[in-house]
Amino acid sequence: MSEFNKDDYLNDMPDAESLQGDPASAGTGVENEAAADDQHDAAQDQQSSDQTQGSGDPQSDSDASEDTLTPLGKAKKEAAEYLEALQRERAEFINFRNRSAKEQERFRQHGIIDVLTALLPALDDIDRIREHGEMDDSFKAVSAKIDKTFEKFGVEKFGEKGEEFDPTRHDAILHKPDAEASTETVDTVVEAGYRIGDRVIRAARVVVASPQQ
């Protein structure tokens, strides 16, 4: 068994400087750690700044977009806005004009109907005189002018003997059996009917010949 040598044991032990490490190396490690923390904080600050800029109001973005336009681009944008406004105003004017035209036509038609309704008794008397042949040439001329005047305003007179009976246009005051009739037809016109377009102002009052049962 070898003898324990105290001096050799002391020589083999590491000195204090080796155990503590190089002070310069230790300082470098701490500085690296601090630099990493600073970089992390800077990245978080940048991210917050980007989010704040991204959530800005649209007006600011619009103003920024306006600032980036060239004078020619701004002029084109204003011209497009003026054109859109002009087209909108034109469409509104056309709609107003169409509504006004329809209202005027309706008022005009109501005026014609009022005049026609007031003259119906006189027109019926003229038809009766004409039917009985008691009308001279002067009276016939006046009657023809009245008929042409109503035609000018779109008034149509209807109701003829022999035409097929239509309950939407004829008012049957009497039905009489007729052995020769195959369908209901107008036998006698008591009072003529009048209409404007598809609107019946007064149905023709007629005697109807009906087929025998």
Side-chain angles (χ1 to χ4, degrees), residues 21-50:
D22 187 5
S25 300
T28 303
V30 173
E31 290 173 357
N32 291 339
E33 240 179 74
D37 292 340
D38 291 341
Q39 291 177 355
H40 179 69
D41 294 341
Q44 288 184 338
D45 293 341
Q46 182 64 30
Q47 183 178 4
S48 300
S49 176
D50 293 342

Side-chain angles (χ1 to χ4, degrees), residues 10-67:
L10 291 174
N11 292 330
D12 292 338
M13 288 183 63
D15 55 12
E17 291 180 357
S18 299
L19 290 174
Q20 292 177 356
D22 187 5
S25 300
T28 303
V30 173
E31 290 173 357
N32 291 339
E33 240 179 74
D37 292 340
D38 291 341
Q39 291 177 355
H40 179 69
D41 294 341
Q44 288 184 338
D45 293 341
Q46 182 64 30
Q47 183 178 4
S48 300
S49 176
D50 293 342
Q51 291 178 352
T52 303
Q53 293 177 359
S55 61
D57 59 336
Q59 183 64 35
S60 299
D61 296 340
S62 177
D63 294 342
S65 177
E66 288 279 349
D67 294 338

Side-chain angles (χ1 to χ4, degrees), residues 5-211:
N5 192 331
K6 179 178 178 182
D7 295 332
D8 293 338
Y9 176 76
L10 291 174
N11 292 330
D12 292 338
M13 288 183 63
D15 55 12
E17 291 180 357
S18 299
L19 290 174
Q20 292 177 356
D22 187 5
S25 300
T28 303
V30 173
E31 290 173 357
N32 291 339
E33 240 179 74
D37 292 340
D38 291 341
Q39 291 177 355
H40 179 69
D41 294 341
Q44 288 184 338
D45 293 341
Q46 182 64 30
Q47 183 178 4
S48 300
S49 176
D50 293 342
Q51 291 178 352
T52 303
Q53 293 177 359
S55 61
D57 59 336
Q59 183 64 35
S60 299
D61 296 340
S62 177
D63 294 342
S65 177
E66 288 279 349
D67 294 338
T68 59
L69 290 175
T70 63
L72 178 59
K74 290 181 179 179
K76 288 183 177 180
K77 184 174 182 296
E78 291 179 358
E81 291 175 351
Y82 289 143
L83 178 60
E84 182 181 358
L86 179 62
Q87 290 174 340
R88 184 166 54 251
E89 291 293 333
R90 183 174 182 273
E92 291 178 357
F93 173 74
I94 291 174
N95 292 335
F96 170 76
R97 184 180 62 186
N98 292 338
R99 288 195 303 269
S100 299
K102 289 181 180 179
E103 289 180 358
Q104 289 178 359
E105 179 61 24
R106 185 166 59 250
F107 293 150
R108 174 177 175 273
Q109 194 174 92
H110 284 324
I112 295 171
I113 292 173
D114 291 342
V115 173
L116 176 63
T117 303
L119 290 176
L120 282 177
L123 296 175
D124 292 336
D125 290 339
I126 291 174
D127 288 340
R128 293 187 185 97
I129 295 172
R130 182 186 294 116
E131 183 179 356
H132 291 86
E134 300 175 0
M135 186 179 297
D136 57 21
D137 293 339
S138 299
F139 200 77
K140 287 180 181 179
V142 173
S143 175
K145 288 181 179 179
I146 293 175
D147 292 341
K148 288 182 179 180
T149 300
F150 278 118
E151 289 177 2
K152 179 180 178 181
F153 288 99
V155 177
E156 181 183 354
K157 183 179 179 181
F158 64 91
E160 297 287 341
K161 180 178 179 178
E163 66 184 15
E164 185 175 354
F165 174 72
D166 183 354
T168 62
R169 300 169 60 240
H170 302 126
D171 180 15
I173 61 175
L174 177 65
H175 286 266
K176 68 175 186 178
D178 190 340
E180 297 180 358
S182 57
T183 59
E184 291 186 328
T185 56
V186 175
D187 181 74
T188 305
V189 178
V190 180
E191 292 177 351
Y194 294 89
R195 65 186 175 193
I196 299 177
D198 294 333
R199 181 175 180 179
V200 175
I201 307 305
R202 186 184 74 177
R205 303 185 66 194
V206 298
V207 177
V208 180
S210 303

